[in-house]
Amino acid sequence: TAIMGCLSTLILSPCVTAPLIGALGYIAQTGNVTLGSIALFFLSLGMGTPLLLIGTSAGKLLPKAGLWMNTVKSFFGIMLIAVAIYLMERILPGPFTMFLWGSLVVFCGIYMGALTRAESNKGKFSQGLGIILLIYGLLILIGASQGKSNPLQPLANITTMETHKESMVVVKTLAELQQALMNAVGTPVMLDFYADWCASCKVMAQTTLQDAKVQTALKNFVVLKVDVTANNAASKALLNHFDVVAPPTLLFFNAEGEELNNLRLVGEISAPIFYNNLNRVLGEPQ
């Protein structure tokens, strides 16, 4: 029990860190200690009250143990493995994570009875779902063998940024970026701050940047991919120079090389918003 308590603290603490930092940051920025204290009080109250209710109920509010608990245990075990794969996507190659996703789905399908003869209606229903998972997992494995990286579209040909690849330049230092900006004078420029460990960057690459309208609009830009994956001194110099906190962040420059600060985008952006922003950049006085 003591070991489980120590481990649960390590696991649960990051969950509390985000709202805690948000509340403390608000207090530091506004100086409103009273409101900040009330916010922290209700944060702790909201987290502690359910535990107090369950603890004082002597177990009456908890579900009764039974065979169904094995199903719950297996379900959450699969979820934990899925979360682990999701987190490893930041550091592992795309095809390898595809292999992991495919393996997980295949095993889930087998354990649901895809290869076992079912007699009852419940068993047949479980077997049907298992067969679907098994086939889908095999498709993911096939996609992994072809170098694909999107388990939701395992066999799709991803062509992100291919339509304007000739105008895309990857830079990793401030000197390289400044030289690329000088070379691009006369054409609008988009700086795309990204990192291989940035989950939101990958989401945008597979969704927003795949949009046909976005692809067409980006043909009018020189796209500079600012790679801050290494998070070293050069990466930090790039971030500090443009006052960028973290990727994904998109900066836009007009044809004269002047940044349009009011059009800066931060975080995951949907395709319609991104497309409208590109049109606003092209509509700015040159």
Side-chain angles (χ1 to χ4, degrees):
T1 302
I3 294 174
M4 290 179 64
C6 294
L7 293 177
S8 65
T9 301
L10 292 175
I11 296 171
L12 294 177
S13 294
C15 299
V16 185
T17 301
L20 180 61
I21 289 178
L24 294 177
Y26 177 82
I27 296 173
Q29 183 177 6
T30 63
N32 193 336
V33 179
T34 302
L35 181 58
S37 301
I38 294 174
L40 291 176
F41 171 74
F42 279 101
L43 173 64
S44 60
L45 189 64
M47 294 181 60
T49 300
L51 298 178
L52 291 174
L53 293 175
I54 293 175
T56 56
S57 67
K60 293 181 180 180
L61 296 179
L62 294 175
K64 301 299 181 182
L67 293 177
W68 67 275
M69 291 291 287
N70 289 327
T71 302
V72 174
K73 179 181 65 177
S74 300
F75 173 78
F76 282 104
I78 293 171
M79 291 297 101
L80 288 173
I81 296 175
V83 170
I85 298 175
Y86 173 75
L87 294 176
M88 288 192 295
E89 284 182 341
R90 293 159 172 76
I91 58 176
L92 296 178
F96 186 72
T97 55
M98 280 277 286
F99 171 78
L100 295 178
W101 282 119
S103 300
L104 177 62
V105 175
V106 166
F107 277 106
C108 288
I110 293 175
Y111 274 98
M112 289 190 70
L115 305 180
T116 304
R117 182 179 178 84
E119 300 294 342
S120 64
N121 290 333
K122 181 180 179 181
K124 291 179 180 179
F125 179 77
S126 177
Q127 185 181 39
L129 293 178
I131 292 174
I132 294 174
L133 290 175
L134 177 61
I135 295 175
Y136 184 57
L138 293 176
L139 291 176
I140 296 177
L141 292 177
I142 293 174
S145 67
Q146 297 176 350
K148 304 296 193 302
S149 59
N150 186 3
L152 298 179
Q153 296 177 305
L155 301 182
N157 292 320
I158 304 300
T159 57
T160 304
M161 309 291 278
E162 289 295 330
T163 56
H164 55 277
K165 189 173 182 179
E166 67 280 353
S167 62
M168 183 180 68
V169 179
V170 178
V171 295
K172 296 184 178 182
T173 66
L174 183 58
E176 293 177 353
L177 179 54
Q178 290 175 335
Q179 183 61 48
L181 287 173
M182 291 179 60
N183 296 338
V185 171
T187 305
V189 177
M190 183 185 81
L191 299 188
D192 181 5
F193 283 82
Y194 84 101
D196 292 341
W197 40 260
C198 172
S200 297
C201 299
K202 295 181 179 180
V203 171
M204 286 191 61
Q206 296 172 359
T207 56
T208 302
L209 297 178
Q210 291 290 325
D211 185 80
K213 291 183 178 180
V214 170
Q215 291 274 341
T216 301
L218 282 175
K219 292 180 180 179
N220 300 307
F221 290 79
V222 172
V223 180
L224 301 180
K225 302 279 288 185
V226 185
D227 186 357
V228 294
T229 302
N231 197 29
N232 51 20
S235 300
K236 294 177 181 177
L238 282 167
L239 295 173
N240 293 333
H241 182 77
F242 292 98
D243 293 326
V244 173
V245 177
T249 300
L250 301 169
L251 278 60
F252 300 92
F253 294 76
N254 59 21
E256 280 69 41
E258 301 171 344
E259 183 184 353
L260 305 174
N261 293 305
N262 60 316
L263 299 181
R264 179 180 292 204
L265 299 176
V266 180
E268 288 187 35
I269 306 298
S270 64
I273 294 177
F274 188 50
Y275 177 70
N276 290 336
N277 205 74
L278 293 175
N279 287 333
R280 290 178 63 189
V281 174
L282 296 175
E284 287 285 335
Q286 304 297 324

